[in-house]
Amino acid sequence: MQFNESEFLVESIVPDDELIISRTDLKGNITYANETFADISGYEMSELIGKPHNTVRHPDMPSSIFKTLWETLQNGKQWTGIVKNLRKDKGFYWVKAIVSGVYKNGELVEYKSLRTPITYEEKLEAQKNYDKMRLENNEKIRTIFYK
Ligand SMILES: Cc1cc2nc3c(=O)[nH]c(=O)nc-3n(C[C@H](O)[C@H](O)[C@H](O)COP(=O)(O)O)c2cc1C
């Protein structure tokens, strides 16, 4: 996908009185999203359901973060982390996500993620860390830096 650099600059602010919720099947395809998820990501609900969750992956996110997320889930544990997500219009929004298994009669059937806002300082710190992680892993990084 080709992006115009300037489109990356528009941040959507996550409301602090609502949770952004989604669930996926065991492969990471979205099975449920709440209205807040659709609103903040700029997608229609019908554009989200059945799609892989990497639909909202932002190119600033290091691959290793998602590797750890999946390893943690596959070990039956809950994963918490800071995620920068990409909107349909190529804007972005930052969240703290808590991702865990959904169990039915003791059997793992889906995964769910509950997301809440983070502070400006947390965003700044995460962006710096993620740039560093991407550089260390020879992944391309954005061209705009916080100094
Ligand atoms: C319940 C759940 C929620 C997820 N939420 C996000 C998300 O909000 N943003 C995101 O980029 N990846 C999310 N992921 C991870 C994606 O499935 C995917 O691993 C990630 O976007 C990296 O894409 P890739 O595996 O194609 O490299 C979620 C995974 C699960 C199981």
Side-chain angles (χ1 to χ4, degrees):
M1 217 186 291
Q2 285 293 322
F3 297 112
N4 177 341
E5 189 181 287
S6 63
E7 291 175 324
F8 286 97
L9 297 175
V10 183
E11 178 176 12
S12 291
I13 300 300
V14 171
D16 59 11
D17 56 350
E18 290 168 56
L19 283 174
I20 301 170
I21 304 173
S22 63
R23 289 201 310 266
T24 71
D25 62 18
L26 299 182
K27 291 180 176 161
N29 298 309
I30 299 171
T31 56
Y32 168 84
N34 71 348
E35 289 290 342
T36 310
F37 187 102
D39 286 349
I40 195 78
S41 65
Y43 284 97
E44 297 293 330
M45 199 63 85
S46 59
E47 295 176 296
L48 291 170
I49 307 300
K51 299 285 156 45
H53 217 309
N54 67 8
T55 301
V56 293
R57 182 185 178 173
H58 196 285
D60 283 359
M61 287 298 293
S63 307
S64 57
I65 294 286
F66 297 115
K67 193 166 170 274
T68 310
L69 180 156
W70 280 102
E71 280 168 6
T72 307
L73 292 179
Q74 275 151 14
N75 286 330
K77 296 200 181 112
Q78 172 178 290
W79 180 87
T80 302
I82 291 178
V83 183
K84 185 180 193 178
N85 274 334
L86 185 68
R87 284 173 47 92
K88 187 181 180 183
D89 64 8
K90 313 294 183 278
F92 65 93
Y93 58 100
W94 283 99
V95 290
K96 177 180 150 190
I98 302 175
V99 189
S100 59
V102 178
Y103 293 85
K104 217 175 193 175
N105 303 322
E107 192 198 339
L108 177 68
V109 287
E110 288 193 320
Y111 295 116
K112 65 172 187 291
S113 178
L114 309 178
R115 307 176 185 82
T116 50
I118 59 171
T119 64
Y120 176 74
E121 288 71 24
E122 287 172 312
K123 292 172 195 174
L124 214 53
E125 197 191 339
Q127 182 70 73
K128 283 182 191 162
N129 280 339
Y130 291 170
D131 282 355
K132 197 163 162 268
M133 288 167 78
R134 286 185 65 91
L135 275 176
E136 283 166 2
N137 287 300
N138 295 319
E139 295 179 301
K140 279 193 192 144
I141 69 159
R142 67 215 167 80
T143 52
I144 297 155
F145 295 88
Y146 295 108
K147 286 253 164 81

PDB file of all heavy atoms in Angstrom, residues 22-25 28 37 53-54 56-58 66 69-70 73 83-85 99 111-113 115, ligand 1:
ATOM      1  N   SER A  22     -12.935  -5.537  20.447  1.00  0.00           N
ATOM      2  CA  SER A  22     -13.086  -6.439  19.302  1.00  0.00           C
ATOM      3  C   SER A  22     -12.789  -7.855  19.756  1.00  0.00           C
ATOM      4  O   SER A  22     -12.146  -8.067  20.786  1.00  0.00           O
ATOM      5  CB  SER A  22     -12.158  -6.047  18.146  1.00  0.00           C
ATOM      6  OG  SER A  22     -10.816  -6.156  18.537  1.00  0.00           O
ATOM      7  N   ARG A  23     -13.306  -8.794  18.968  1.00  0.00           N
ATOM      8  CA  ARG A  23     -12.970 -10.205  19.188  1.00  0.00           C
ATOM      9  C   ARG A  23     -12.517 -10.776  17.852  1.00  0.00           C
ATOM     10  O   ARG A  23     -12.917 -10.281  16.794  1.00  0.00           O
ATOM     11  CB  ARG A  23     -14.200 -10.991  19.685  1.00  0.00           C
ATOM     12  CG  ARG A  23     -14.615 -10.675  21.105  1.00  0.00           C
ATOM     13  CD  ARG A  23     -15.464 -11.808  21.695  1.00  0.00           C
ATOM     14  NE  ARG A  23     -16.549 -12.215  20.835  1.00  0.00           N
ATOM     15  CZ  ARG A  23     -17.798 -11.742  20.915  1.00  0.00           C
ATOM     16  NH1 ARG A  23     -18.114 -10.852  21.840  1.00  0.00           N
ATOM     17  NH2 ARG A  23     -18.731 -12.171  20.089  1.00  0.00           N
ATOM     18  N   THR A  24     -11.671 -11.803  17.924  1.00  0.00           N
ATOM     19  CA  THR A  24     -11.224 -12.467  16.695  1.00  0.00           C
ATOM     20  C   THR A  24     -11.396 -13.978  16.847  1.00  0.00           C
ATOM     21  O   THR A  24     -11.498 -14.487  17.965  1.00  0.00           O
ATOM     22  CB  THR A  24      -9.726 -12.209  16.397  1.00  0.00           C
ATOM     23  OG1 THR A  24      -8.936 -12.923  17.361  1.00  0.00           O
ATOM     24  CG2 THR A  24      -9.377 -10.740  16.438  1.00  0.00           C
ATOM     25  N   ASP A  25     -11.373 -14.671  15.697  1.00  0.00           N
ATOM     26  CA  ASP A  25     -11.265 -16.129  15.765  1.00  0.00           C
ATOM     27  C   ASP A  25      -9.811 -16.457  16.124  1.00  0.00           C
ATOM     28  O   ASP A  25      -8.989 -15.553  16.330  1.00  0.00           O
ATOM     29  CB  ASP A  25     -11.728 -16.786  14.447  1.00  0.00           C
ATOM     30  CG  ASP A  25     -10.882 -16.386  13.238  1.00  0.00           C
ATOM     31  OD1 ASP A  25      -9.745 -15.888  13.429  1.00  0.00           O
ATOM     32  OD2 ASP A  25     -11.368 -16.560  12.106  1.00  0.00           O
ATOM     33  N   GLY A  28      -7.103 -14.679  14.130  1.00  0.00           N
ATOM     34  CA  GLY A  28      -6.968 -13.222  14.124  1.00  0.00           C
ATOM     35  C   GLY A  28      -7.914 -12.513  13.172  1.00  0.00           C
ATOM     36  O   GLY A  28      -7.731 -11.325  12.881  1.00  0.00           O
ATOM     37  N   PHE A  37     -15.199   0.957  18.220  1.00  0.00           N
ATOM     38  CA  PHE A  37     -14.112   0.472  17.368  1.00  0.00           C
ATOM     39  C   PHE A  37     -14.313   0.966  15.934  1.00  0.00           C
ATOM     40  O   PHE A  37     -13.376   1.490  15.296  1.00  0.00           O
ATOM     41  CB  PHE A  37     -14.047  -1.064  17.401  1.00  0.00           C
ATOM     42  CG  PHE A  37     -12.854  -1.624  16.675  1.00  0.00           C
ATOM     43  CD1 PHE A  37     -11.746  -2.075  17.371  1.00  0.00           C
ATOM     44  CD2 PHE A  37     -12.835  -1.688  15.291  1.00  0.00           C
ATOM     45  CE1 PHE A  37     -10.635  -2.570  16.703  1.00  0.00           C
ATOM     46  CE2 PHE A  37     -11.728  -2.191  14.612  1.00  0.00           C
ATOM     47  CZ  PHE A  37     -10.630  -2.628  15.323  1.00  0.00           C
ATOM     48  N   HIS A  53      -7.303  -8.886  11.656  1.00  0.00           N
ATOM     49  CA  HIS A  53      -7.153  -7.728  12.535  1.00  0.00           C
ATOM     50  C   HIS A  53      -6.016  -6.815  12.088  1.00  0.00           C
ATOM     51  O   HIS A  53      -5.951  -5.639  12.462  1.00  0.00           O
ATOM     52  CB  HIS A  53      -6.985  -8.156  13.995  1.00  0.00           C
ATOM     53  CG  HIS A  53      -7.683  -7.225  14.930  1.00  0.00           C
ATOM     54  ND1 HIS A  53      -7.484  -5.864  14.879  1.00  0.00           N
ATOM     55  CD2 HIS A  53      -8.603  -7.431  15.892  1.00  0.00           C
ATOM     56  CE1 HIS A  53      -8.239  -5.287  15.804  1.00  0.00           C
ATOM     57  NE2 HIS A  53      -8.934  -6.210  16.418  1.00  0.00           N
ATOM     58  N   ASN A  54      -5.118  -7.319  11.250  1.00  0.00           N
ATOM     59  CA  ASN A  54      -4.045  -6.432  10.788  1.00  0.00           C
ATOM     60  C   ASN A  54      -4.553  -5.371   9.806  1.00  0.00           C
ATOM     61  O   ASN A  54      -3.779  -4.549   9.322  1.00  0.00           O
ATOM     62  CB  ASN A  54      -2.863  -7.215  10.218  1.00  0.00           C
ATOM     63  CG  ASN A  54      -3.202  -7.945   8.942  1.00  0.00           C
ATOM     64  OD1 ASN A  54      -4.286  -7.768   8.380  1.00  0.00           O
ATOM     65  ND2 ASN A  54      -2.280  -8.775   8.483  1.00  0.00           N
ATOM     66  N   VAL A  56      -6.053  -2.881  10.741  1.00  0.00           N
ATOM     67  CA  VAL A  56      -5.763  -1.615  11.428  1.00  0.00           C
ATOM     68  C   VAL A  56      -4.296  -1.524  11.862  1.00  0.00           C
ATOM     69  O   VAL A  56      -3.928  -0.686  12.677  1.00  0.00           O
ATOM     70  CB  VAL A  56      -6.700  -1.371  12.644  1.00  0.00           C
ATOM     71  CG1 VAL A  56      -8.130  -1.148  12.187  1.00  0.00           C
ATOM     72  CG2 VAL A  56      -6.604  -2.484  13.675  1.00  0.00           C
ATOM     73  N   ARG A  57      -3.453  -2.389  11.320  1.00  0.00           N
ATOM     74  CA  ARG A  57      -2.049  -2.327  11.705  1.00  0.00           C
ATOM     75  C   ARG A  57      -1.395  -1.047  11.171  1.00  0.00           C
ATOM     76  O   ARG A  57      -1.480  -0.751   9.978  1.00  0.00           O
ATOM     77  CB  ARG A  57      -1.278  -3.528  11.165  1.00  0.00           C
ATOM     78  CG  ARG A  57       0.148  -3.455  11.628  1.00  0.00           C
ATOM     79  CD  ARG A  57       1.034  -4.505  11.086  1.00  0.00           C
ATOM     80  NE  ARG A  57       2.376  -4.243  11.599  1.00  0.00           N
ATOM     81  CZ  ARG A  57       3.402  -5.033  11.450  1.00  0.00           C
ATOM     82  NH1 ARG A  57       3.257  -6.151  10.810  1.00  0.00           N
ATOM     83  NH2 ARG A  57       4.563  -4.697  11.949  1.00  0.00           N
ATOM     84  N   HIS A  58      -0.718  -0.354  12.050  1.00  0.00           N
ATOM     85  CA  HIS A  58      -0.005   0.857  11.633  1.00  0.00           C
ATOM     86  C   HIS A  58       1.422   0.485  11.248  1.00  0.00           C
ATOM     87  O   HIS A  58       2.064  -0.315  11.942  1.00  0.00           O
ATOM     88  CB  HIS A  58       0.012   1.886  12.769  1.00  0.00           C
ATOM     89  CG  HIS A  58       0.381   3.256  12.301  1.00  0.00           C
ATOM     90  ND1 HIS A  58       1.683   3.599  11.987  1.00  0.00           N
ATOM     91  CD2 HIS A  58      -0.374   4.349  12.032  1.00  0.00           C
ATOM     92  CE1 HIS A  58       1.697   4.859  11.577  1.00  0.00           C
ATOM     93  NE2 HIS A  58       0.468   5.334  11.594  1.00  0.00           N
ATOM     94  N   PHE A  66       3.868  -7.852  17.800  1.00  0.00           N
ATOM     95  CA  PHE A  66       2.773  -8.773  17.500  1.00  0.00           C
ATOM     96  C   PHE A  66       3.212 -10.229  17.640  1.00  0.00           C
ATOM     97  O   PHE A  66       2.411 -11.098  17.965  1.00  0.00           O
ATOM     98  CB  PHE A  66       2.196  -8.469  16.111  1.00  0.00           C
ATOM     99  CG  PHE A  66       1.597  -7.095  16.041  1.00  0.00           C
ATOM    100  CD1 PHE A  66       2.128  -6.125  15.217  1.00  0.00           C
ATOM    101  CD2 PHE A  66       0.520  -6.758  16.853  1.00  0.00           C
ATOM    102  CE1 PHE A  66       1.586  -4.851  15.177  1.00  0.00           C
ATOM    103  CE2 PHE A  66      -0.029  -5.479  16.830  1.00  0.00           C
ATOM    104  CZ  PHE A  66       0.509  -4.528  15.990  1.00  0.00           C
ATOM    105  N   LEU A  69       2.762 -10.781  21.203  1.00  0.00           N
ATOM    106  CA  LEU A  69       1.325 -10.870  21.494  1.00  0.00           C
ATOM    107  C   LEU A  69       0.815 -12.288  21.214  1.00  0.00           C
ATOM    108  O   LEU A  69       0.217 -12.930  22.073  1.00  0.00           O
ATOM    109  CB  LEU A  69       0.568  -9.852  20.626  1.00  0.00           C
ATOM    110  CG  LEU A  69      -0.955  -9.751  20.749  1.00  0.00           C
ATOM    111  CD1 LEU A  69      -1.409  -8.365  20.302  1.00  0.00           C
ATOM    112  CD2 LEU A  69      -1.703 -10.772  19.915  1.00  0.00           C
ATOM    113  N   TRP A  70       1.112 -12.801  20.014  1.00  0.00           N
ATOM    114  CA  TRP A  70       0.617 -14.130  19.630  1.00  0.00           C
ATOM    115  C   TRP A  70       1.250 -15.239  20.476  1.00  0.00           C
ATOM    116  O   TRP A  70       0.570 -16.199  20.848  1.00  0.00           O
ATOM    117  CB  TRP A  70       0.835 -14.366  18.130  1.00  0.00           C
ATOM    118  CG  TRP A  70      -0.235 -13.673  17.330  1.00  0.00           C
ATOM    119  CD1 TRP A  70      -0.122 -12.503  16.654  1.00  0.00           C
ATOM    120  CD2 TRP A  70      -1.600 -14.099  17.185  1.00  0.00           C
ATOM    121  NE1 TRP A  70      -1.335 -12.171  16.089  1.00  0.00           N
ATOM    122  CE2 TRP A  70      -2.256 -13.125  16.385  1.00  0.00           C
ATOM    123  CE3 TRP A  70      -2.332 -15.195  17.644  1.00  0.00           C
ATOM    124  CZ2 TRP A  70      -3.608 -13.227  16.041  1.00  0.00           C
ATOM    125  CZ3 TRP A  70      -3.679 -15.292  17.297  1.00  0.00           C
ATOM    126  CH2 TRP A  70      -4.299 -14.318  16.515  1.00  0.00           C
ATOM    127  N   LEU A  73      -0.514 -15.198  23.836  1.00  0.00           N
ATOM    128  CA  LEU A  73      -1.864 -15.781  23.746  1.00  0.00           C
ATOM    129  C   LEU A  73      -1.775 -17.299  23.599  1.00  0.00           C
ATOM    130  O   LEU A  73      -2.537 -18.041  24.217  1.00  0.00           O
ATOM    131  CB  LEU A  73      -2.629 -15.193  22.557  1.00  0.00           C
ATOM    132  CG  LEU A  73      -3.019 -13.715  22.634  1.00  0.00           C
ATOM    133  CD1 LEU A  73      -3.747 -13.299  21.356  1.00  0.00           C
ATOM    134  CD2 LEU A  73      -3.888 -13.412  23.853  1.00  0.00           C
ATOM    135  N   VAL A  83      -0.481   0.116  21.582  1.00  0.00           N
ATOM    136  CA  VAL A  83      -0.591  -0.114  20.143  1.00  0.00           C
ATOM    137  C   VAL A  83      -0.996   1.176  19.427  1.00  0.00           C
ATOM    138  O   VAL A  83      -1.900   1.884  19.857  1.00  0.00           O
ATOM    139  CB  VAL A  83      -1.643  -1.218  19.837  1.00  0.00           C
ATOM    140  CG1 VAL A  83      -1.701  -1.492  18.331  1.00  0.00           C
ATOM    141  CG2 VAL A  83      -1.328  -2.502  20.591  1.00  0.00           C
ATOM    142  N   LYS A  84      -0.276   1.461  18.346  1.00  0.00           N
ATOM    143  CA  LYS A  84      -0.669   2.550  17.452  1.00  0.00           C
ATOM    144  C   LYS A  84      -1.405   1.902  16.292  1.00  0.00           C
ATOM    145  O   LYS A  84      -0.866   0.999  15.641  1.00  0.00           O
ATOM    146  CB  LYS A  84       0.579   3.271  16.948  1.00  0.00           C
ATOM    147  CG  LYS A  84       0.308   4.490  16.096  1.00  0.00           C
ATOM    148  CD  LYS A  84       1.629   5.125  15.657  1.00  0.00           C
ATOM    149  CE  LYS A  84       1.428   6.502  15.067  1.00  0.00           C
ATOM    150  NZ  LYS A  84       2.728   7.110  14.697  1.00  0.00           N
ATOM    151  N   ASN A  85      -2.623   2.301  16.076  1.00  0.00           N
ATOM    152  CA  ASN A  85      -3.427   1.694  15.015  1.00  0.00           C
ATOM    153  C   ASN A  85      -3.681   2.670  13.878  1.00  0.00           C
ATOM    154  O   ASN A  85      -3.733   3.882  14.080  1.00  0.00           O
ATOM    155  CB  ASN A  85      -4.762   1.206  15.574  1.00  0.00           C
ATOM    156  CG  ASN A  85      -4.671  -0.196  16.142  1.00  0.00           C
ATOM    157  OD1 ASN A  85      -3.820  -0.987  15.743  1.00  0.00           O
ATOM    158  ND2 ASN A  85      -5.541  -0.504  17.088  1.00  0.00           N
ATOM    159  N   VAL A  99      -5.343  -8.030  25.718  1.00  0.00           N
ATOM    160  CA  VAL A  99      -5.807  -9.085  24.815  1.00  0.00           C
ATOM    161  C   VAL A  99      -5.748 -10.424  25.543  1.00  0.00           C
ATOM    162  O   VAL A  99      -4.736 -10.736  26.189  1.00  0.00           O
ATOM    163  CB  VAL A  99      -4.946  -9.137  23.524  1.00  0.00           C
ATOM    164  CG1 VAL A  99      -5.569 -10.068  22.501  1.00  0.00           C
ATOM    165  CG2 VAL A  99      -4.764  -7.751  22.924  1.00  0.00           C
ATOM    166  N   TYR A 111     -10.390 -14.826  20.700  1.00  0.00           N
ATOM    167  CA  TYR A 111      -9.608 -13.872  21.491  1.00  0.00           C
ATOM    168  C   TYR A 111     -10.359 -12.560  21.542  1.00  0.00           C
ATOM    169  O   TYR A 111     -11.148 -12.249  20.629  1.00  0.00           O
ATOM    170  CB  TYR A 111      -8.235 -13.631  20.851  1.00  0.00           C
ATOM    171  CG  TYR A 111      -7.345 -14.835  20.832  1.00  0.00           C
ATOM    172  CD1 TYR A 111      -6.937 -15.404  19.621  1.00  0.00           C
ATOM    173  CD2 TYR A 111      -6.904 -15.418  22.022  1.00  0.00           C
ATOM    174  CE1 TYR A 111      -6.115 -16.523  19.597  1.00  0.00           C
ATOM    175  CE2 TYR A 111      -6.078 -16.537  21.994  1.00  0.00           C
ATOM    176  CZ  TYR A 111      -5.698 -17.076  20.785  1.00  0.00           C
ATOM    177  OH  TYR A 111      -4.886 -18.180  20.758  1.00  0.00           O
ATOM    178  N   LYS A 112     -10.116 -11.792  22.598  1.00  0.00           N
ATOM    179  CA  LYS A 112     -10.769 -10.482  22.708  1.00  0.00           C
ATOM    180  C   LYS A 112      -9.749  -9.420  23.089  1.00  0.00           C
ATOM    181  O   LYS A 112      -8.723  -9.724  23.702  1.00  0.00           O
ATOM    182  CB  LYS A 112     -11.899 -10.526  23.745  1.00  0.00           C
ATOM    183  CG  LYS A 112     -11.441 -10.784  25.171  1.00  0.00           C
ATOM    184  CD  LYS A 112     -12.604 -10.619  26.131  1.00  0.00           C
ATOM    185  CE  LYS A 112     -12.184 -10.695  27.587  1.00  0.00           C
ATOM    186  NZ  LYS A 112     -11.736 -12.005  28.058  1.00  0.00           N
ATOM    187  N   SER A 113     -10.043  -8.195  22.707  1.00  0.00           N
ATOM    188  CA  SER A 113      -9.173  -7.083  23.070  1.00  0.00           C
ATOM    189  C   SER A 113     -10.017  -5.919  23.581  1.00  0.00           C
ATOM    190  O   SER A 113     -11.021  -5.554  22.960  1.00  0.00           O
ATOM    191  CB  SER A 113      -8.356  -6.641  21.855  1.00  0.00           C
ATOM    192  OG  SER A 113      -7.556  -5.527  22.208  1.00  0.00           O
ATOM    193  N   ARG A 115      -9.629  -1.953  24.792  1.00  0.00           N
ATOM    194  CA  ARG A 115      -8.645  -0.876  24.616  1.00  0.00           C
ATOM    195  C   ARG A 115      -9.088   0.407  25.284  1.00  0.00           C
ATOM    196  O   ARG A 115     -10.259   0.783  25.206  1.00  0.00           O
ATOM    197  CB  ARG A 115      -8.413  -0.624  23.131  1.00  0.00           C
ATOM    198  CG  ARG A 115      -8.056  -1.882  22.373  1.00  0.00           C
ATOM    199  CD  ARG A 115      -7.937  -1.597  20.894  1.00  0.00           C
ATOM    200  NE  ARG A 115      -7.714  -2.817  20.130  1.00  0.00           N
ATOM    201  CZ  ARG A 115      -8.672  -3.643  19.761  1.00  0.00           C
ATOM    202  NH1 ARG A 115      -9.932  -3.398  20.064  1.00  0.00           N
ATOM    203  NH2 ARG A 115      -8.387  -4.732  19.076  1.00  0.00           N
TER     204      ARG A 115
HETATM  205  C1  LIG B   1      -7.996 -10.042  19.828  1.00  0.00           C
HETATM  206  C2  LIG B   1      -6.909  -9.457  18.977  1.00  0.00           C
HETATM  207  C3  LIG B   1      -6.858  -8.090  18.771  1.00  0.00           C
HETATM  208  C4  LIG B   1      -5.866  -7.509  17.981  1.00  0.00           C
HETATM  209  N1  LIG B   1      -5.872  -6.162  17.822  1.00  0.00           N
HETATM  210  C5  LIG B   1      -4.964  -5.594  17.015  1.00  0.00           C
HETATM  211  C6  LIG B   1      -4.980  -4.194  16.798  1.00  0.00           C
HETATM  212  O1  LIG B   1      -5.795  -3.444  17.346  1.00  0.00           O
HETATM  213  N2  LIG B   1      -4.047  -3.689  15.947  1.00  0.00           N
HETATM  214  C7  LIG B   1      -3.129  -4.459  15.317  1.00  0.00           C
HETATM  215  O2  LIG B   1      -2.322  -3.927  14.552  1.00  0.00           O
HETATM  216  N3  LIG B   1      -3.071  -5.788  15.533  1.00  0.00           N
HETATM  217  C8  LIG B   1      -3.974  -6.362  16.365  1.00  0.00           C
HETATM  218  N4  LIG B   1      -3.928  -7.715  16.571  1.00  0.00           N
HETATM  219  C9  LIG B   1      -2.813  -8.489  15.969  1.00  0.00           C
HETATM  220  C10 LIG B   1      -3.087  -8.848  14.526  1.00  0.00           C
HETATM  221  O3  LIG B   1      -3.789 -10.070  14.479  1.00  0.00           O
HETATM  222  C11 LIG B   1      -1.759  -9.009  13.731  1.00  0.00           C
HETATM  223  O4  LIG B   1      -0.963  -9.997  14.306  1.00  0.00           O
HETATM  224  C12 LIG B   1      -0.955  -7.703  13.667  1.00  0.00           C
HETATM  225  O5  LIG B   1      -1.739  -6.640  13.156  1.00  0.00           O
HETATM  226  C13 LIG B   1       0.306  -7.833  12.816  1.00  0.00           C
HETATM  227  O6  LIG B   1      -0.015  -8.136  11.529  1.00  0.00           O
HETATM  228  P1  LIG B   1       0.745  -9.304  10.778  1.00  0.00           P
HETATM  229  O7  LIG B   1       0.560 -10.527  11.658  1.00  0.00           O
HETATM  230  O8  LIG B   1       0.091  -9.402   9.455  1.00  0.00           O
HETATM  231  O9  LIG B   1       2.177  -8.876  10.707  1.00  0.00           O
HETATM  232  C14 LIG B   1      -4.898  -8.327  17.371  1.00  0.00           C
HETATM  233  C15 LIG B   1      -4.931  -9.705  17.573  1.00  0.00           C
HETATM  234  C16 LIG B   1      -5.914 -10.276  18.369  1.00  0.00           C
HETATM  235  C17 LIG B   1      -5.921 -11.763  18.599  1.00  0.00           C
END
